[in-house]
Amino acid sequence: MTSVKLKSVKKSFGAVDIIKGIDLTIEDGEFCVFVGPSGCGKSTLLRIISGLEEATEGTIEIDGRDVTGEEPSKRGIAMVFQSYALYPHLTVRENVGFGLSLAKLPKDVIRQKVDAAAEALQLTHLLDRKPKALSGGQRQRVAIGRAMVRDPKVFLLDEPLSNLDAALRAQMRIELTDLHRKLGATMIYVTHDQVEAMTMADKIVVLNSGRIEQVGSPMDLYNNPVSPFVAGFIGSPKMNLYDGPVAAAQGCKTYGIRPEHVVLSATNGTWKGSVRHVEHLGADTVVYLVVPEMGEIVVRVSGDFKAAHGDILWASPVAGREFRFN
Amino acid sequence: MTSRQRNTGIIAFLAAFIIFILPFVFTFFMAVKSRQEAALFLFTWPSEWHFWSNLVEVVQARNYMLLLAYFNSTIITVGAVALLVIFGAMVGYVLQRRPSGWNKLIYAGVLMGLMVPPAVVPTIWVLQGLGLFKTIHGMILIQVAYGLAFSVLLYRSFIATIPRDLDEAAIIDGAKPWAIFFKVILPLLKPVTVTLILVQSIAIFNDFTNPLYYLPGRENVTVQLTLFNFQSQFQSQFNLLFMNILLVTIPPLIVFVIFNRQIVAGMTAGAVKG
Amino acid sequence: MTAKRRSPYPYWFVLPAAVVFTVLFLVPTIASFWFSMTRWDLFQTEFIGWDNYRQFFKEPFLVQGLTNTLIYAVVTSGAKTILGLLLAVLLTSGILWQGFLRSVVFFPVLVSTIGVGITFAALMHPTKGAINIALSYVGIDGPSWLSDPTLALYSVAFIDIWKGVGLATLIYIAGLAAISPEYYEAARIDGATRSQQFWRVTVPLVQPATVTVVTLSLIGGLRSFDIIWATTKGGPGFASDVLASVIYKQYQAGFYGLATAGNVILFLLIAIIILPLTWWFNKREVDL
């Protein structure tokens, strides 16, 4: 059973604490996503699990074994880098088989494993090319292939899709999910993109300045965010969040309502405001309403909703969908 | 191209021809003249062509000393450049990849190596103590010591352009430090290595001062020293002296014609960083 | 906490280079301070304090070696810097045969210094040399370039400039290539003339290359030996002797302590010229 356990892991660079004490268990076969804004420590945490960085304090267990002081190559992990990190002077075949040849495996075994991985990733026809001659998506697959042939217990993926264009990214999200299902391996995936987190994860770990903000399934985080930070991070467009008098009027420190949980009416409602801007996305329309007593509220309505700059509209929250944080 | 650019080019070419090309033409003419004609020193078209006879005579002079010199210079150059590539790349790699207090010390050494003139007599004293004075391998190590600073700087700045992700991917693939360096990094240094080989080969092949001090003795003669020795010996045989110059100038000319681009890259890259 | 793992960039990588460099460069350099205060024949040393240095600053021919070194370095470095920049501007202006001309200017950098010295010694021969014969056609009575004591040092400096200006040009060409053409376009829109563009855009923005050229050519000029040895051997008399040739002469004569003192003086001379210069250049670069 390949679980990954972090126990009070801390990391500081000089006087700066990057990771401020993290306890986390990732279950066998889980697709776990670390998400958070840049600088929150998610990549550092992944690198600590991989062994590329050493934790200042705390222990890491993989598969029930303490690997805190272990070499990266002995931890049973494989990693896919944001830049793919393919060796430019080696062919695809040599890239994928590099680790196996370092381990002095017999040539025919290496060949067999590389061929199998190439088959699974539809790379067979590219095996003799150098990385330079590949497209972004193909390089991405080679990087995954290189991870696969090591038969790792845990896959570590560091923003693997951020160098791809939007269309390819959507396609790779599905391919990665398929791969995870097929291999059944534990995967830890780092991203700053909440869409990737929501669409792929079994478990999302939201990190904020070196601490875990919340752990849960995607819908769990969407429905029950524990803090304004998580509430604002998960979901698009962002949740409307209000401090000060607006929140005080609701009897809390921060009051939040998601754009999709506000209804608009021309005649009556809770807040009266004037339309500042309208974005037509096709299926949906996003309305930016300026309400004098609270500032701006963003509202998502269906695509056929008609509104124009300067219109006066009423907005009301959907009952039971409001969030009050203290 | 405007007519102004064309005319400037023609004028520049004429000036360059007189200033930079004619001295080489002069060398060539002197080298093919007869002994009597060469002694006149005049910059004239050779009345008789003695290319082959002069060539043979200069090669045979002093019991084929020129061939011995070519042999010695080649061994020194190849040996020193090979070590400069390996040592320079290894130091540049650690220097670029591993920030630590030691780096200041290494930089101080590099700065000294670029700036400080070698203390020749104490160096002879050290070489004698080690039994390396007047030896080819002693000369090789001297060239390595004097060329290291440039090599380290050149490699350090090139290695800075190789993403660290590659090292880390290799670490995860289970590569030991030497395997990361020799199997991943060193192959990627090929362009800068070609440049370094060219620049250092030419410098070491053309070096006169260091063999003069550290490699005296007939059997150790290098190409530049033959030229210097022949200068006194061929006092009355200028045709042979200039044939010798011609033979010494030809290797860099060939290298330059083939590898112009890489040499230029090395000279400027190394220099701008230095 | 487990034991610290080994770095993937081990220090033993530095070791072979460090050993060679220390033994053959650092040790002699440090030892030179001691040996410069001795009378020394490689086997026996006798401590004589500052005598060697005193001699260096008292003997007229040794003092001349020192001043010649400074003159030589300043003249060659100054000329290479100015000519290098002008040639680089010319050779980046898109003129006819530009690439070929660059090669022609650069090639002397790569050839044997001794060969160049012998060739120019022949060309500069007072009566038979091509230079003076060419001058006589236009009615000029050419001087004895290498045997006139007032001229010899400058003639050698000229040969040095001829051989080395290509490197300065090359560095400047690289420096010019790094200046974005937009600066020139902006300057032209602002109405700058060609000479204003040169002084107000090119000269300030090419400064990193200038730093390199000045530093390299000054160090090279101060250490210069082989071109002088191949042409005048420091003569006539001591008229074109520089520190490096003085050191070699003292070494040949067996005055090892004195030769080493010359080495230390050369080292200190380079240090007191180059270090403040680098510091000053660095300070100016921050201001930019």
Side-chain angles (χ1 to χ4, degrees):
Chain A
M1 144 134 184
T2 312
S3 62
V4 176
K5 263 202 186 78
L6 306 181
K7 288 184 189 157
S8 51
V9 169
K10 288 183 186 164
K11 174 76 183 174
S12 24
F13 291 104
V16 189
D17 296 332
I18 302 294
I19 304 286
K20 296 169 186 163
I22 285 196
D23 290 277
L24 178 67
T25 303
I26 297 153
E27 304 297 341
D28 181 34
E30 204 165 44
F31 197 118
C32 173
V33 175
F34 295 172
V35 70
S38 61
C40 69
K42 56 190 189 299
S43 278
T44 308
L45 193 58
L46 190 77
R47 290 165 61 83
I48 289 173
I49 297 171
S50 76
L52 290 171
E53 301 277 0
E54 280 176 83
T56 316
E57 272 177 55
T59 56
I60 299 116
E61 279 177 28
I62 295 177
D63 207 6
R65 195 165 58 94
D66 183 349
V67 297
T68 314
E70 195 84 80
E71 295 287 337
S73 56
K74 308 251 167 67
R75 292 186 175 198
I77 51 111
M79 189 152 168
V80 176
F81 291 82
Q82 181 173 8
S83 67
Y84 318 137
L86 303 180
Y87 310 118
H89 58 301
L90 302 180
T91 61
V92 170
R93 175 179 290 287
E94 290 165 334
N95 258 290
V96 175
F98 187 74
L100 304 177
S101 77
L102 283 176
K104 305 242 183 314
L105 258 63
K107 284 224 162 53
D108 49 324
V109 176
I110 298 177
R111 173 164 281 275
Q112 216 178 335
K113 285 187 168 226
V114 172
D115 284 339
E119 178 82 43
L121 295 165
Q122 295 138 39
L123 288 169
T124 310
H125 62 296
L126 302 171
L127 278 173
D128 295 320
R129 290 209 195 158
K130 295 259 175 82
K132 221 176 17 201
L134 302 180
S135 70
Q138 290 166 336
R139 285 179 204 187
Q140 173 69 70
R141 276 202 280 269
V142 176
I144 294 168
R146 183 170 66 185
M148 272 169 63
V149 292
R150 295 171 51 82
D151 293 327
K153 296 172 190 154
V154 183
F155 281 86
L156 307 176
L157 303 104
D158 188 3
E159 308 222 16
L161 304 185
S162 61
N163 285 343
L164 302 176
D165 64 48
L168 204 51
R169 207 179 306 161
Q171 182 196 333
M172 286 304 296
R173 284 207 300 261
I174 299 172
E175 283 187 29
L176 274 175
T177 316
D178 282 347
L179 189 75
H180 174 243
R181 206 171 288 133
K182 205 156 60 185
L183 297 174
T186 310
M187 289 191 175
I188 304 175
Y189 186 107
V190 163
T191 182
H192 62 270
D193 180 354
Q194 60 94 19
V195 176
E196 283 176 23
M198 292 297 282
T199 51
M200 298 165 77
D202 296 321
K203 177 195 273 176
I204 296 179
V205 178
V206 182
L207 289 159
N208 184 21
S209 48
R211 286 205 177 80
I212 293 182
E213 196 77 28
Q214 189 172 1
V215 180
S217 72
M219 285 319 285
D220 202 20
L221 295 190
Y222 179 80
N223 289 326
N224 305 302
V226 297
S227 66
F229 179 84
V230 177
F233 202 79
I234 303 288
S236 174
K238 251 170 74 101
M239 183 188 287
N240 297 292
L241 290 165
Y242 303 96
D243 297 333
V246 182
Q250 300 285 340
C252 61
K253 231 172 113 198
T254 307
Y255 171 78
I257 180 79
R258 293 194 187 278
E260 53 270 43
H261 299 147
V262 180
V263 287
L264 291 178
S265 152
T267 53
N268 57 22
T270 314
W271 304 298
K272 185 182 169 195
S274 79
V275 174
R276 180 163 82 95
H277 181 64
V278 182
E279 284 175 350
H280 295 285
L281 302 176
D284 297 322
T285 293
V286 180
V287 179
Y288 294 76
L289 201 65
V290 180
V291 178
E293 68 265 29
M294 63 196 303
E296 190 172 74
I297 184 165
V298 181
V299 183
R300 186 155 100 186
V301 288
S302 76
D304 46 22
F305 187 88
K306 297 271 185 297
H309 176 78
D311 289 358
I312 303 296
L313 290 174
W314 292 83
S316 324
V318 174
R321 288 298 199 163
E322 296 156 289
F323 293 99
R324 292 180 178 85
F325 301 104
N326 278 308
Chain B
M1 188 175 298
T2 62
S3 65
R4 182 197 168 117
Q5 284 171 319
R6 198 181 57 235
N7 296 339
T8 316
I10 292 168
I11 294 166
F13 175 80
L14 290 175
F17 182 80
I18 293 170
I19 297 170
F20 288 107
I21 298 180
L22 282 185
F24 290 104
V25 176
F26 175 70
T27 305
F28 179 74
F29 283 177
M30 286 291 273
V32 300
K33 284 176 177 176
S34 69
R35 185 210 283 215
Q36 293 79 3
E37 198 185 357
L40 296 177
F41 266 37
L42 295 174
F43 197 159
T44 50
W45 194 265
S47 53
E48 297 167 74
W49 289 71
H50 294 276
F51 186 83
W52 275 112
S53 58
N54 286 351
L55 181 67
V56 171
E57 204 175 332
V58 86
V59 168
Q60 288 176 338
R62 286 221 203 166
N63 201 11
Y64 294 95
M65 187 183 257
L66 195 57
L67 292 187
L68 177 66
Y70 259 98
F71 179 74
N72 287 339
S73 283
T74 308
I75 292 198
I76 293 168
T77 306
V78 170
V81 169
L83 291 179
L84 278 172
V85 166
I86 301 287
F87 291 1
M90 281 163 72
V91 176
Y93 174 62
V94 174
L95 191 62
Q96 202 279 323
R97 286 295 203 248
R98 186 172 180 179
S100 79
W102 289 95
N103 286 5
K104 278 206 180 111
L105 202 68
I106 301 177
Y107 276 119
V110 166
L111 189 70
M112 281 185 74
L114 289 176
M115 207 179 78
V116 176
V120 279
V121 192
T123 307
I124 292 173
W125 170 72
V126 169
L127 287 172
Q128 268 184 339
L130 298 170
L132 291 172
F133 187 49
K134 300 188 195 181
T135 63
I136 297 282
H137 38 283
M139 192 68 240
I140 290 177
L141 291 177
I142 286 283
Q143 298 289 13
V144 171
Y146 294 174
L148 259 177
F150 177 77
S151 309
V152 168
L153 279 188
L154 197 62
Y155 275 119
R156 195 206 66 90
S157 56
F158 190 85
I159 289 168
T161 66
I162 298 177
R164 219 179 246 267
D165 285 2
L166 286 184
D167 314 7
E168 295 183 338
I171 294 171
I172 293 202
D173 275 341
K176 294 271 174 296
W178 64 267
I180 305 174
F181 179 72
F182 284 100
K183 292 195 170 178
V184 178
I185 301 297
L186 200 57
L188 296 176
L189 299 178
K190 209 166 101 193
V192 71
T193 300
V194 170
T195 300
L196 185 82
I197 289 174
L198 294 167
V199 171
Q200 293 282 22
S201 300
I202 289 171
I204 294 172
F205 186 84
N206 279 341
D207 186 19
F208 166 72
T209 315
N210 294 316
L212 182 71
Y213 275 116
Y214 307 127
L215 206 55
R218 259 199 113 243
E219 67 285 359
N220 290 328
V221 72
T222 66
V223 170
Q224 303 304 320
L225 286 179
T226 62
L227 213 49
F228 185 66
N229 296 339
F230 286 178
Q231 195 184 7
S232 38
Q233 195 216 350
F234 289 159
Q235 210 51 268
S236 53
Q237 290 174 288
F238 283 99
N239 53 343
L240 299 190
L241 182 60
F242 279 89
M243 178 53 85
N244 197 344
I245 296 177
L246 198 62
L247 291 179
V248 170
T249 311
I250 284 172
L253 179 64
I254 294 171
V255 170
F256 179 60
V257 168
I258 302 175
F259 297 106
N260 189 346
R261 206 166 45 84
Q262 287 91 335
I263 294 176
V264 167
M267 290 280 185
T268 47
V272 171
K273 297 280 187 271
Chain C
M1 229 23 254
T2 38
K4 230 177 147 50
R5 277 177 295 116
R6 300 249 295 282
S7 164
Y9 313 112
Y11 281 125
W12 64 259
F13 271 36
V14 180
L15 206 61
V19 168
V20 174
F21 187 75
T22 305
V23 172
L24 294 181
F25 189 83
L26 289 182
V27 168
T29 301
I30 293 161
S32 68
F33 287 94
W34 156 251
F35 284 120
S36 69
M37 299 208 177
T38 64
R39 189 171 292 128
W40 184 30
D41 63 2
L42 277 181
F43 302 102
Q44 285 183 317
T45 52
E46 183 198 336
F47 185 79
I48 55 167
W50 298 97
D51 277 8
N52 288 326
Y53 292 97
R54 245 174 245 133
Q55 201 176 345
F56 238 101
F57 291 103
K58 254 190 354 219
E59 290 271 2
F61 73 95
L62 295 179
V63 175
Q64 189 175 11
L66 198 63
T67 47
N68 279 353
T69 306
L70 284 172
I71 295 171
Y72 186 87
V74 170
V75 168
T76 52
S77 172
K80 284 176 191 173
T81 308
I82 294 165
L83 292 175
L85 178 56
L86 295 178
L87 280 171
V89 170
L90 179 71
L91 295 177
T92 49
S93 60
I95 59 168
L96 186 68
W97 300 319
Q98 181 168 287
F100 175 75
L101 286 171
R102 283 185 192 183
S103 300
V104 167
V105 172
F106 179 65
F107 181 64
V109 172
L110 302 178
V111 304
S112 150
T113 312
I114 305 299
V116 167
I118 296 171
T119 306
F120 270 91
L123 289 169
M124 287 179 166
H125 191 280
T127 51
K128 299 188 276 183
I131 294 178
N132 278 359
I133 291 178
L135 287 176
S136 72
Y137 284 127
V138 289
I140 298 172
D141 195 11
S144 310
W145 298 101
L146 291 169
S147 43
D148 180 339
T150 57
L151 210 57
L153 187 69
Y154 298 95
S155 302
V156 181
F158 168 81
I159 304 172
D160 192 329
I161 296 161
W162 179 88
K163 187 177 177 340
V165 73
L167 183 58
T169 308
L170 203 67
I171 293 168
Y172 268 122
I173 288 175
L176 292 178
I179 301 176
S180 160
E182 288 179 7
Y183 289 115
Y184 292 99
E185 287 162 5
R188 265 165 57 197
I189 287 170
D190 288 341
T193 63
R194 268 169 178 271
S195 77
Q196 281 172 327
Q197 286 177 36
F198 176 78
W199 288 108
R200 308 270 183 105
V201 180
T202 307
V203 172
L205 289 182
V206 85
Q207 201 200 321
T210 306
V211 173
T212 309
V213 170
V214 169
T215 318
L216 278 185
S217 61
L218 264 183
I219 295 177
L222 291 166
R223 287 167 63 163
S224 200
F225 171 70
D226 40 9
I227 190 85
I228 290 164
W229 204 246
T231 48
T232 64
K233 293 202 168 57
F238 308 102
S240 62
D241 253 329
V242 293
L243 275 174
S245 66
V246 167
I247 293 167
Y248 184 67
K249 284 177 177 174
Q250 300 306 327
Y251 161 73
Q252 270 188 317
F255 298 123
Y256 296 146
L258 192 60
T260 307
N263 246 132
V264 172
I265 291 172
L266 181 55
F267 169 24
L268 295 176
L269 189 66
I270 293 176
I272 57 175
I273 292 175
I274 299 300
L275 291 180
L277 197 68
T278 336
W279 176 80
W280 184 71
F281 276 138
N282 281 343
K283 207 181 64 164
R284 288 208 27 188
E285 208 154 354
V286 176
D287 291 345
L288 273 178

